[in-house]
Amino acid sequence: MQRELALKTGLICLIALLLLIPLNIISGKISERKSYLQQAETSIAKSWTSAQQLMTPFLVQPYEIKRAIHSGDTTTDVIVVEENLFIPLDEVNVSVDINTSLRHKGIYSVPVYDATVAINGKLTPGTLNKRREEAENQHGFFRFLKPHITIYVSDARGITGKPTLSWKGDNLQVSPGSGIQGPASGLQAAIEIPNEIYKPLELNLAFQLRGMSSLQIIPASTNTEITMQSNWPHPEFIGAFLPLEHGISKNGFSAQWRINEFSSDISKKLEQCSKGRCSFITELKTGTHFYQSVDIYLQTERAVKYGILFIAISFAAFFLFEIIRGAPIHPIQYTFVGLALAIFYLLLVSLSEHLSFLMAYAISTVSCLFLLTAYLGKVLTSYKASALFSFSLGALYGVLYIIIQMEDFALLMGALMLFAILALLMMSTRNINWYTISRKP
């Protein structure tokens, strides 16, 4: 009898392991549908705009240097080389007001936004004169050329309307393109620098910017303060710096960053950028990803991870029913029940693409529980027992729904549920003497 019990146990475990195959197939299907969502994002980005990166304005001071060309000990020619001096503003305040909405591609939706950007900056005479003197002291310095203010925007298609820029209170003509190598897209405006400067030079810039999925600011000033607010209720703060202050509610969020030269080392990074190595400064990007909180594919992936647990619990319950009541259950019947539990996840992902996740989850749960109740009524020779089993399984599905809705406590709740189920199984079978079990005739 013990040998028969061991064989039956081994066969049940084998069936449970084989049911991992359909679960993995369903998991692969979820990943496939998720990749379609990414393709939809790419498609929308082509016609809308992609995720945006915006660098705060700084001053570009071109200058010329005379260099002698030598052949041996003889100077054969003198050439004039143009170089750029990147001068960060002393203070920059960036205010971004973001209005988000959803764009649809087939059955998929992607968050996009229209942002109102206002930038106020200040450059002190001491900073400007010091940096220009450094250039003048270089060997072979010839002359300064006309400077300009530059602003980098990663996807210039997102600049809507006509940007306005004032320098020292005067409105300037804004031209497309950043005017520098590397991060070339954006805006620029030629400026005049007086010979004598007695007070800080002020800059004011305003424009509309649209993008998709995320917005990040690259601080290119000595002291940068960024204020961002939006109607999107699920922000994910990303990048090199986290906000010092933030507030999140169902109506949106607000956040504030303060970044200084000690944390950004901006002067050195701008110097590297002036020589064509701008990747160091773009690493400072910081901002917000418009996160779709617990999207349907992430929720379904979380649910599938508990699939083998539900199958194991169901098989354990059937096995105990066999042992205690002596009612044999055929391995084929175990397999059908396992497949019914696995098909739940395929129903869930397919329905959730067209209905709300809660509605899809409810329909999938009720459908599978109804099927199991009708089938197990004959298998267990008792509709009361099958209804009790389905009710218990429904309670587990309810707990699972709560777990997969959670973001920060999903692992903790899942671990507590596993512990509770294991404790229940251990306590309910602690009086069984497994060495004296015999099947009832």
Side-chain angles (χ1 to χ4, degrees), residues 30 33-34 37 107-109 292-303 348-358 360 404-405:
I30 295 171
R33 304 298 290 183
K34 194 172 184 179
L37 173 60
I107 62 174
Y108 303 103
S109 60
Q292 297 198 64
S293 179
V294 195
D295 64 66
I296 61 172
Y297 299 112
L298 179 58
Q299 292 179 92
T300 312
E301 283 178 350
R302 289 179 178 177
L348 177 60
V349 68
S350 58
L351 288 173
S352 61
E353 290 182 337
H354 304 278
L355 305 172
S356 68
F357 186 80
L358 176 59
I404 61 180
Q405 291 298 308

Side-chain angles (χ1 to χ4, degrees), residues 55-68:
M55 187 184 296
T56 60
F58 59 90
L59 189 149
V60 179
Q61 174 62 77
Y63 62 96
E64 292 180 337
I65 292 180
K66 290 183 177 181
R67 290 181 180 171

